[in-house]
């Protein structure tokens, strides 16, 4: 499924740095967008949802949405080793399906 | 966040047998549930979208006669892997969509714990 695309990484950042994760999607009618975190062998857990163009901040996390460019991103400030995981971008399409990107593996180096 | 319970978490079966996986939304009513399959180090692949009281919508390439989905109530959906074979071994994850969000049809997706199926 190519509805949602992400760089698979791996992405490595030092502790305290900003990690930037990117995602593009193909269904222009999509209205809701999500970032999930998944640890190995576990189910994904929701980090953030975003519905409108612009930035949405929640603690150390900032999601950015640009519907014209069909682009979603997630910034993690002051990265911690516990943030090391796979980050999945998800899009709820106009047809009410939820599609996920391939995930970006993030490693935060102490 | 909302709670979704999935059972069993692990199952090992012999080739040719059928396995049923249950997915329950514990504290909200889920009109839509989704079933995903995930292979090691791969992303979640949507198998089907399950709407309460109607037939599931299967993604291209997913055999509906092999992966039977039933969504009989607003809190329960089941996936039955019929005549399982070793290639069906995978991590199956259900999710339920909550109502709400600022825009119609933009409820968030909450996941069950996943079921790891091993077919011998």
């Amino acid at each position: 499924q190519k509805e949602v695309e992400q760089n698979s990484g791996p992405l490595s950042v030092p502790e305290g740095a900003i990690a930037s994760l990117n995602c593009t999607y193909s269904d222009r009618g999509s209205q809701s967008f999500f970032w999930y975190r998944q640890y190995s062998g576990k189910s994904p857990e929701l980090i953030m949802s975003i519905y409108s163009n612009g930035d949405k901040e929640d603690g150390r996390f900032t999601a950015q949405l640009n519907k014209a460019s069909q682009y979603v991103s997630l910034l993690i400030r002051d990265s911690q080793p516990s943030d090391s995981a796979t980050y999945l971008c998800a899009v709820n399409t106009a047809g009410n399906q939820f599609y996920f990107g391939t995930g970006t593996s993030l490693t935060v180096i102490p | 966040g909302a709670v979704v319970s999935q059972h069993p978490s692990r199952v090992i079966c012999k080739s040719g047998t059928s396995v049923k996986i249950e997915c329950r939304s514990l504290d909200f009513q889920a009109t839509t549930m989704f079933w995903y399959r995930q292979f090691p180090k791969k992303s979640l692949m949507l198998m089907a979208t399950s709407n309460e009281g109607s037939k599931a919508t299967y993604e291209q390439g997913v055999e509906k006669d092999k992966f039977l989905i039933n969504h009989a109530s607003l809190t329960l959906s089941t996936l039955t892997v019929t005549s399982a074979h070793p290639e069906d071994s995978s991590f199956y994850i259900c999710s339920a969509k909550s109502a709400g969000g600022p825009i119609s049809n933009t409820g968030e997706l909450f996941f069950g714990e996943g079921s790891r199926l091993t077919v011998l």
Side-chain angles (χ1 to χ4, degrees):
Chain A
Q1 294 166 344
K2 298 295 186 184
E3 289 80 5
V4 182
E5 299 209 43
Q6 295 178 249
N7 289 327
S8 60
L11 173 66
S12 294
V13 299
E15 184 174 356
I18 295 176
S20 177
L21 306 164
N22 304 312
C23 172
T24 58
Y25 60 95
S26 61
D27 185 338
R28 190 170 283 279
S30 301
Q31 295 192 55
S32 48
F33 309 87
F34 308 88
W35 282 98
Y36 287 82
R37 177 174 60 198
Q38 186 177 27
Y39 295 107
S40 180
K42 302 294 185 183
S43 282
E45 55 181 332
L46 180 67
I47 297 176
M48 290 192 70
S49 57
I50 186 167
Y51 307 100
S52 304
N53 280 328
D55 295 359
K56 179 181 178 182
E57 186 174 318
D58 183 1
R60 295 186 295 111
F61 299 95
T62 299
Q64 300 173 316
L65 172 62
N66 184 326
K67 291 185 180 180
S69 301
Q70 296 174 237
Y71 174 88
V72 192
S73 67
L74 180 70
L75 299 177
I76 307 174
R77 290 183 300 281
D78 187 23
S79 296
Q80 301 298 309
S82 58
D83 294 328
S84 298
T86 296
Y87 289 81
L88 300 165
C89 171
V91 175
N92 190 187
T93 66
N96 194 32
Q97 287 122 329
F98 262 86
Y99 290 114
F100 284 79
T102 52
T104 299
S105 175
L106 172 67
T107 301
V108 180
I109 303 167
Chain B
V3 179
V4 176
S5 175
Q6 188 173 342
H7 177 81
S9 59
R10 288 183 181 274
V11 58
I12 301 173
C13 69
K14 293 182 179 180
S15 184
T17 60
S18 295
V19 175
K20 179 185 283 189
I21 301 170
E22 291 188 349
C23 179
R24 295 180 184 272
S25 56
L26 298 184
D27 54 358
F28 68 101
Q29 293 184 330
T31 55
T32 305
M33 290 186 173
F34 302 86
W35 286 94
Y36 293 86
R37 179 168 56 184
Q38 187 176 37
F39 293 106
K41 300 189 185 300
K42 300 293 184 183
S43 187
L44 288 84
M45 296 298 294
L46 179 63
M47 298 176 67
T49 302
S50 170
N51 293 298
E52 186 266 337
S54 63
K55 291 183 179 180
T57 302
Y58 288 82
E59 293 297 299
Q60 191 173 8
V62 178
E63 299 175 59
K64 62 180 181 181
D65 294 331
K66 181 166 185 65
F67 299 100
L68 300 178
I69 292 172
N70 182 279
H71 192 162
S73 76
L74 287 171
T75 59
L76 174 64
S77 178
T78 61
L79 167 68
T80 301
V81 183
T82 62
S83 186
H85 291 283
E87 58 266 29
D88 299 323
S89 299
S90 187
F91 190 47
Y92 292 87
I93 312 175
C94 75
S95 60
K97 184 176 170 183
S98 67
I103 304 171
S104 174
N105 196 38
T106 58
E108 296 170 343
L109 203 60
F110 295 94
F111 285 87
E113 305 92 333
S115 299
R116 188 164 300 283
L117 170 63
T118 303
V119 185
L120 303 176

